[in-house]
Amino acid sequence: YTYNTLMDGNPDEDSIVGLFNLAEVKILEAIVWFEKGDYLRGVALAYGNLANIKTVLEDFNSSLEYMRKAISYFKKLNYDTYTVIGYYTLTETFTQIGQLDSAALYGHKALNLAEELDSKIDIKNSLGKLSRVYEGMGDYETAFQYQTEFYTAYAKLINQENNLIVSDLNKKYETE
């Protein structure tokens, strides 16, 4: 399988699965190499990528295993932002397979760490994921609460970005 398999028109599903399986083999080889060189960042990111591949292939048990490994390395490395992303990725995966209690657990871990880091985008993402979890549980009041908080966080991010754009334009106007 090659990249050209995808680019030559309309790849069939077997070709795409084959490419993902090949990617998995190569990433596992890279992990061995990274571990020999004590390159823990590479190991962590590789496990995260494997988790994503397994999610696409709907091999959720392997996806969960790989993401947990990635998170354990992110924690060792004090990569808190990646840890948050790992947590809300687990939230998504558990939601997909209907394990909503586990999804809620990791959603709250993601939100708590995002708030501790004051990471606005991760707070927003965690709130959105928790809204879907509680909707799946049938707890529509809590889902609505998280969805409302999600939209508030989203609006703040958009307003912040717009304010920066206006400020930059104003500076350019004043200097011309």
Side-chain angles (χ1 to χ4, degrees):
Y1 296 103
T2 65
Y3 175 77
N4 290 334
T5 306
L6 288 177
M7 297 296 116
D8 67 359
N10 294 315
D12 59 19
E13 189 171 331
D14 288 341
S15 297
I16 294 169
V17 169
L19 284 169
F20 278 124
N21 287 332
L22 179 61
E24 178 184 12
V25 168
K26 294 300 180 185
I27 292 170
L28 287 169
E29 289 174 1
I31 288 172
V32 170
W33 186 77
F34 291 150
E35 286 176 334
K36 285 181 184 175
D38 203 30
Y39 182 54
L40 299 183
R41 181 174 187 260
V43 174
L45 294 172
Y47 277 126
N49 285 320
L50 281 173
N52 293 333
I53 288 170
K54 289 303 192 174
T55 297
V56 169
L57 295 174
E58 297 183 356
D59 179 355
F60 297 113
N61 288 330
S62 295
S63 173
L64 294 167
E65 176 188 342
Y66 287 139
M67 188 52 70
R68 285 183 178 125
K69 286 182 179 182
I71 289 169
S72 73
Y73 281 98
F74 294 146
K75 286 180 173 182
K76 285 179 194 175
L77 295 164
N78 294 315
Y79 286 0
D80 293 333
T81 300
Y82 287 111
T83 302
V84 171
I85 294 167
Y87 284 154
Y88 65 69
T89 300
L90 286 177
T91 303
E92 264 182 8
T93 305
F94 278 119
T95 301
Q96 283 182 280
I97 61 176
Q99 293 183 19
L100 299 176
D101 289 335
S102 294
L105 172 74
Y106 283 102
H108 286 288
K109 284 184 175 192
L111 180 59
N112 291 339
L113 185 52
E115 288 175 338
E116 183 181 313
L117 298 171
D118 196 31
S119 174
K120 306 288 188 228
I121 192 138
D122 290 325
I123 291 169
K124 174 194 71 82
N125 290 336
S126 298
L127 290 166
K129 308 252 183 262
L130 282 167
S131 174
R132 289 200 349 247
V133 169
Y134 284 99
E135 179 183 6
M137 290 178 163
D139 184 348
Y140 300 110
E141 184 178 336
T142 304
F144 179 75
Q145 173 192 342
Y146 280 117
Q147 192 65 22
T148 302
E149 290 179 43
F150 166 82
Y151 282 118
T152 300
Y154 178 75
K156 285 180 182 177
L157 284 171
I158 294 296
N159 287 336
Q160 182 180 17
E161 186 176 321
N162 287 340
N163 288 340
L164 288 172
I165 291 169
V166 169
S167 175
D168 286 345
L169 288 173
N170 194 33
K171 285 178 187 174
K172 287 178 183 177
Y173 174 75
E174 290 174 355
T175 59
E176 288 183 5

